[in-house]
Amino acid sequence: MARSLRRSPSVSLRRLFVWRLILCAGFLSLAAVPMVGYGLPDSFPEIPVDGFTFVERGPMEVVISQVGEIQSADNELLVNDCEFSTRLVSLLPEGTWVEPGDIVAELDTSDLEPLARKREILVIQAEARFRQAKEDLEIQKLTNQSRLAEAQIAVRLAKLELEGYTSASHPQQLHKLQAAVALAEEAVARADDNHQFIKRMVTRGYRQRDDEENARLTLLKSQQSLQTAKDKLTLFEDFAHPRSIEKLTADYEESIRDLERVKNTNQSALLSREVSLRSRERSYRIYKDYLDRLNTSIAACTLRATRPGEVIHGTVSPYSSRKLEEGSSVRHLQTIAKLPNRELMDVHLRIHESKAQTLAVGQTTLLEVDAARDTTLRGRVKSITKVPLSGRYPNYELREYGVVVSVDLESVRSMTLAPGMTATAHILTNQRQSTLLAPMRSIVEVAGRTVAFVRSGDEILARDVEIGLTNENTIEILEGLEEGDEIVLKPRVTCAQRLLDIEARSLVKVDDWGWADWLGNSASETTTDLTAVN
């Protein structure tokens, strides 16, 4: 031993007791069996005379057998398109032959029809509000156009008034006032000349003092007129003209702002009308769609055949085999009935995930129908689900693959298949034309080795073998055995002691794991060399 692990005495004794108890049980299990000896050591029980078989060469097939249900590959499904909860009030008996247009089933509409009439009133009211909103929108558009046109005209008029004043009215008034000043100045000059002339004439005695006084008054009036004209010109240039310019400019700018206000007001009013229109349109559409759904559902409560065929009732649920009947509650999109095409038939299977890895589309299948035991049909694997399905009640934890096998038409002509029949499918997943074969139970695995017990003269030798394909009863031998070798048929029963010895010695070899310490004397007391067993 490379090393030994120290253990408490109580643990070592307990494990030694368990090991020896196992060895005793192996001896006692073979005590009552008739034995024949082959020169084996006394520590191994003898093997019964009929406990051997031979390695043979022959063909081998790996077949998966599974019971399934026959269904049509082309079903015309009559589906419940009624979106509301309802019940079956009439349903043709299963197996009834129907022609296109025949009523197959009718659903209860007693709750749907009054609801549809109420919805019609709501739809009419919603449609009236919708149309009113459309008219209000058109009126608002026209009103906006009028307000916008008025504001635009006001802007143009204000601009024209400003431009007319600056380019025409102002120059005209200024020229008029300047002319008045000039005329007044001329009048003052003439009045002054006249006054001077009359004054000289009075001095000479040609005119009287009253004439001089009149001339002076005329001069004064002319000077006052001149001053008034100058004041008017000054007032116009310093006050009237700037005021007019300011007012006209302000009026023009205000008209522009008023135009923007009108545009924003029009846009807001139009948006409000559009929102109101969309809201009422949406309400109308909702009421209308719901009414259409009601009417469609009411029409869908009468299910008619679309092609000739026999009526097959649907099931209460996908997980139940109970058929629908009159009075059953049905849900939306539930299959009420189907009209199968008997010229195209499939067999639906559920294969456990441990066997599904060997399946492939196109594999040959033999079918046995329970209703016709004497007839064997042929078919091929048509499809395999990509992901496993949950097991059926109560074994929900199982994982199974759905497999569909198509039935060959040529083999169906000799008999009539009906949907719902039970068939057993034998799927050929692999085969060998000629190979070495041994019974499944003659090959065992022990201590990580695949072993067969071979008779060699009076000895029984444990020989390592390499295996290939397996089925329920037979296993393919690739290496380790030859054709005609005589091997033990049930080594787990008749060679139990030898299996224990092989396992014990394999444990003794792994000293680094610490097994030898607790095996103790049990392993060392086995005196037969391992080469006698292997």
Side-chain angles (χ1 to χ4, degrees):
M1 307 264 305
R3 65 182 179 89
S4 62
L5 301 178
R6 296 183 179 179
R7 302 180 182 269
S8 62
S10 60
V11 175
S12 299
L13 292 175
R14 184 167 57 254
R15 291 180 176 175
L16 181 60
F17 174 76
V18 172
W19 178 250
R20 289 180 174 176
L21 183 62
I22 294 174
L23 295 178
C24 292
F27 282 112
L28 294 176
S29 64
L30 302 176
V33 181
M35 301 292 175
V36 60
Y38 294 102
L40 295 174
D42 296 338
S43 58
F44 292 128
E46 296 181 349
I47 299 176
V49 177
D50 57 351
F52 294 92
T53 186
F54 291 94
V55 177
E56 300 177 350
R57 179 175 295 277
M60 179 181 182
E61 294 182 346
V62 180
V63 177
I64 296 178
S65 298
Q66 185 64 42
V67 177
E69 182 181 359
I70 297 177
Q71 298 181 13
S72 174
D74 180 22
N75 290 304
E76 183 69 23
L77 302 180
L78 300 181
V79 179
N80 174 25
D81 290 327
C82 178
E83 300 182 28
F84 304 89
S85 298
T86 184
R87 293 178 176 274
L88 275 169
V89 295
S90 68
L91 181 63
L92 290 181
E94 197 168 39
T96 303
W97 182 267
V98 293
E99 296 292 337
D102 291 348
I103 296 177
V104 177
E106 290 181 314
L107 307 180
D108 185 14
T109 60
S110 59
D111 294 333
L112 301 180
E113 292 177 349
L115 183 60
R117 288 192 291 269
K118 293 179 181 179
R119 285 289 171 173
E120 287 178 358
I121 298 174
L122 296 176
V123 168
I124 293 173
Q125 295 174 349
E127 185 179 9
R129 291 192 294 268
F130 173 51
R131 291 181 177 179
Q132 182 63 41
K134 290 178 66 175
E135 294 176 359
D136 292 342
L137 179 61
E138 295 300 325
I139 294 173
Q140 187 64 51
K141 289 181 179 179
L142 296 176
T143 303
N144 289 352
Q145 292 175 1
S146 299
R147 291 177 180 175
L148 181 62
E150 291 177 1
Q152 290 173 345
I153 291 174
V155 171
R156 288 196 296 268
L157 292 178
K159 183 178 180 181
L160 289 174
E161 190 172 355
L162 176 61
E163 293 175 350
Y165 175 77
T166 55
S167 62
S169 296
H170 170 256
Q172 183 181 4
Q173 292 179 13
L174 180 62
H175 178 70
K176 183 178 179 179
L177 292 174
Q178 289 175 347
V181 170
L183 291 175
E185 289 177 346
E186 183 66 24
V188 168
R190 288 183 179 184
D192 184 53
D193 291 344
N194 185 46
H195 176 256
Q196 294 298 329
F197 174 76
I198 292 176
K199 186 177 180 181
R200 287 194 302 270
M201 289 295 104
V202 169
T203 303
R204 293 177 182 181
Y206 294 111
R207 302 289 294 270
Q208 298 181 359
R209 291 287 181 180
D210 292 338
D211 294 334
E212 182 183 0
E213 187 65 23
N214 291 333
R216 187 181 67 81
L217 292 175
T218 301
L219 176 59
L220 291 176
K221 290 181 180 179
S222 299
Q223 290 175 345
Q224 290 178 353
S225 298
L226 174 61
Q227 188 62 41
T228 301
K230 288 183 177 180
D231 291 341
K232 288 183 177 179
L233 178 60
T234 302
L235 180 63
F236 176 75
E237 290 180 343
D238 296 341
F239 300 101
H241 173 62
R243 179 178 179 276
S244 298
I245 288 293
E246 189 70 24
K247 182 179 183 303
L248 293 174
T249 302
D251 290 344
Y252 173 64
E253 293 175 352
E254 182 62 24
S255 66
I256 293 176
R257 288 191 292 269
D258 186 61
L259 175 61
E260 294 299 323
R261 283 194 297 271
V262 169
K263 289 181 179 179
N264 293 335
T265 302
N266 289 349
Q267 184 177 2
S268 177
L270 185 63
L271 180 61
S272 177
R273 294 295 183 183
E274 289 177 346
V275 170
S276 177
L277 176 63
R278 287 196 296 268
S279 176
R280 294 184 178 183
E281 181 182 11
R282 182 172 178 80
S283 298
Y284 168 68
R285 296 300 179 192
I286 291 174
Y287 285 123
K288 185 67 168 58
D289 291 345
Y290 192 80
L291 178 61
D292 292 341
R293 288 171 54 196
L294 276 172
N295 292 330
T296 302
S297 295
I298 291 173
C301 287
T302 301
L303 284 76
R304 299 178 180 273
T306 56
R307 73 180 186 188
E310 292 181 345
V311 176
I312 302 296
H313 292 174
T315 57
V316 174
S317 72
Y319 307 102
S320 174
S321 59
R322 187 163 64 90
K323 298 286 187 176
L324 289 172
E325 56 187 12
E326 294 181 357
S328 298
S329 297
V330 292
R331 63 186 181 279
H332 184 219
L333 299 181
Q334 181 178 358
T335 300
I336 306 300
K338 56 186 177 181
L339 305 177
N341 181 3
R342 290 199 174 190
E343 296 181 357
L344 299 174
M345 305 298 285
D346 290 337
V347 179
H348 290 248
L349 311 170
R350 293 172 71 97
I351 306 295
H352 191 269
E353 60 181 347
S354 62
K355 302 178 181 179
Q357 301 301 324
T358 60
L359 293 174
V361 175
Q363 289 176 338
T364 303
T365 306
L366 296 180
L367 302 170
E368 296 179 354
V369 182
D370 290 356
R373 288 286 186 178
D374 298 336
T375 303
T376 300
L377 309 179
R378 293 185 177 276
R380 291 186 178 276
V381 175
K382 180 179 180 181
S383 65
I384 305 171
T385 57
K386 300 296 183 182
V387 295
L389 310 173
S390 297
R392 294 177 176 174
Y393 176 83
N395 300 317
Y396 294 121
E397 71 281 357
L398 294 180
R399 293 296 177 264
E400 300 172 322
Y401 283 82
V403 179
V404 178
V405 176
S406 61
V407 182
D408 292 343
L409 294 178
E410 295 295 333
S411 61
V412 179
R413 291 178 181 176
S414 59
M415 63 172 297
T416 301
L417 294 181
M421 287 184 174
T422 302
T424 302
H426 305 283
I427 304 174
L428 179 61
T429 61
N430 210 331
Q431 62 179 346
R432 296 282 191 270
Q433 298 298 329
S434 179
T435 187
L436 291 180
L437 304 177
M440 173 67 73
R441 53 187 175 177
S442 65
I443 307 299
V444 295
E445 290 188 4
V446 58
R449 301 162 54 190
T450 304
V451 176
F453 287 91
V454 184
R455 177 181 174 181
S456 178
D458 292 337
E459 295 182 349
I460 301 298
L461 304 179
R463 186 178 299 174
D464 290 326
V465 297
E466 181 180 350
I467 62 175
L469 299 179
T470 61
N471 56 27
E472 295 180 355
N473 300 315
T474 310
I475 189 168
E476 180 187 18
I477 305 299
L478 300 179
E479 292 183 3
L481 296 177
E482 300 294 337
E483 183 179 359
D485 284 348
E486 189 174 5
I487 59 178
V488 178
L489 179 61
K490 301 177 182 179
R492 291 197 178 276
V493 177
T494 58
C495 297
Q497 179 61 37
R498 291 171 173 82
L499 294 174
L500 292 174
D501 186 72
I502 293 175
E503 187 170 5
R505 291 184 178 276
S506 65
L507 294 176
V508 171
K509 290 180 180 180
V510 289
D511 176 57
D512 290 341
W513 291 359
W515 290 99
D517 185 37
W518 66 267
L519 286 175
N521 296 331
S522 176
S524 61
E525 289 176 355
T526 305
T527 56
T528 304
D529 187 69
L530 188 61
T531 56
V533 182
N534 187 8

